[in-house]
Amino acid sequence: MTSEIINIPTHVSIIMDGNGRWAHKKGHKRLFGHNAGVESVRAAVEYAREKGIRYLSLFAFSEENWGRPDEEVSGLMALMAKAVADERATFAKYDIRFRIIGNREQLPEDLVATVEELEAETLSNSSMDLIVMLSYSGRWDILQAASRYGEICANAAREGLPLPYLDQDSFAGLLSTDGIPDPDLIIRTSGEQRISNYMLWQAAYTEFYITEVLWPDFRKNDFDRALVSFNNRQRRFGKLK
Ligand code: FPP
């Protein structure tokens, strides 16, 4: 199957869904599914790197997820801190730049400390960027960009300078994904057909691939199917080819 893929997307993003259902099916609590999901994260990172995907972003925790029971939220935060720290050697070996995007103010201090250490350590790695979207939502992103523009305007007005021109490119530069190309492909697992407040601005022309596979079961072959499907799409960006 792999040999059919000619057009490798520059940026692949994954909405990792179905951990809870996977766990329940096996008679376990939801955290059991999140734990198993870490193995799928590892497999996806390695496969993306092997295929030459330049940017891989993973939707790990939405702003809305803060509304889940405390036990699940704190378990997930601890799991993520450990999973990230465990990948230190992988990032070095595969020359991966790691970072998180989202509302850091909401995250536990120890998780932010671990993340920031790894972000600094991997800053100059350049074979692949791994971006974990943590405490992220598309509306939050657009709002923070709009308020930053407001601040820039207020500063300009105070100094008697003209207000900075705003167009799609300059607005995109205020989003939290500044410098990262829009996703070419978004994969969503577990069969849900929703965008769930994810990358609302950035996904304007993204191709979607939805699989019934639950995230803890998602492996290389499933990733490959998504890439083959992407390869067969005709992207017109609203034009006539
Ligand atoms: C969605 O499944 C999944 C999450 C909210 C958490 C995903 C996080 C991980 C797999 C850990 C990632 C770790 C790193 C280092 C990136 P769900 O709980 O909404 O499942 P359900 O729809 O079946 O209830």
Side-chain angles (χ1 to χ4, degrees), residues 15-24 30 33-41 58-62 65 68 72 76 79-84 87 98 130 132 134 188 190 192 194 214-215:
I15 301 178
M16 309 181 288
D17 199 8
N19 293 352
R21 272 163 286 170
W22 186 90
H24 284 153
R30 304 175 54 78
H34 298 317
N35 246 306
V38 174
E39 212 35 64
S40 307
V41 168
L58 303 172
F59 197 13
F61 196 85
S62 72
N65 288 153
R68 292 193 178 191
E72 182 176 353
L76 253 174
L79 181 68
M80 278 191 265
K82 181 175 180 325
V84 165
E87 292 316 298
F98 166 80
L130 170 65
V132 175
L134 253 184
R188 181 164 189 156
S190 91
E192 304 296 347
R194 295 189 280 276
L214 304 176
W215 179 249

Side-chain angles (χ1 to χ4, degrees), residues 6-215:
I6 302 155
N7 184 16
I8 293 288
T10 303
H11 180 179
V12 176
S13 196
I14 309 181
I15 301 178
M16 309 181 288
D17 199 8
N19 293 352
R21 272 163 286 170
W22 186 90
H24 284 153
K25 271 191 182 177
K26 297 189 178 310
H28 290 284
K29 285 186 165 186
R30 304 175 54 78
L31 265 174
F32 184 77
H34 298 317
N35 246 306
V38 174
E39 212 35 64
S40 307
V41 168
R42 243 175 240 134
V45 169
E46 278 191 19
Y47 195 55
R49 175 68 176 82
E50 184 186 322
K51 298 307 290 177
I53 291 165
R54 186 60 191 76
Y55 297 86
L56 176 69
S57 54
L58 303 172
F59 197 13
F61 196 85
S62 72
E63 282 228 302
E64 291 74 21
N65 288 153
W66 290 112
R68 292 193 178 191
D70 288 349
E71 185 193 349
E72 182 176 353
V73 171
S74 55
L76 253 174
M77 292 299 145
L79 181 68
M80 278 191 265
K82 181 175 180 325
V84 165
D86 284 351
E87 292 316 298
R88 175 170 261 123
T90 309
F91 297 152
K93 179 173 169 198
Y94 293 111
D95 190 36
I96 294 171
R97 177 179 175 188
F98 166 80
R99 59 186 134 154
I100 65 161
I101 286 183
N103 189 350
R104 289 184 191 217
E105 284 167 23
Q106 288 180 298
L107 296 171
E109 276 174 28
D110 58 334
L111 173 58
V112 175
T114 306
V115 157
E116 288 182 352
E117 213 175 284
L118 273 170
E119 285 179 331
E121 214 172 287
T122 64
L123 188 64
S124 54
N125 293 352
S126 57
S127 292
M128 185 174 96
D129 280 40
L130 170 65
I131 305 135
V132 175
M133 311 300 278
L134 253 184
S135 192
Y136 175 86
S137 85
R139 287 184 175 174
W140 163 81
D141 200 359
I142 293 168
L143 263 179
Q144 67 78 30
S147 53
R148 279 174 70 194
Y149 182 68
E151 273 171 36
I152 294 168
C153 286
N155 287 339
R158 214 172 293 125
E159 293 177 28
L161 297 167
L163 299 186
Y165 182 67
L166 195 60
D167 61 9
Q168 293 197 23
D169 285 344
S170 57
F171 191 75
L174 297 169
L175 292 168
S176 63
T177 48
D178 179 30
I180 300 168
D182 288 344
D184 301 290
L185 172 66
I186 289 182
I187 300 170
R188 181 164 189 156
T189 57
S190 91
E192 304 296 347
Q193 307 190 13
R194 295 189 280 276
I195 190 146
S196 297
N197 203 359
Y198 187 55
M199 295 224 200
L200 297 179
W201 173 282
Q202 298 87 338
Y205 286 102
T206 299
E207 296 293 326
F208 270 79
Y209 178 85
I210 292 164
T211 171
E212 295 295 325
V213 173
L214 304 176
W215 179 249

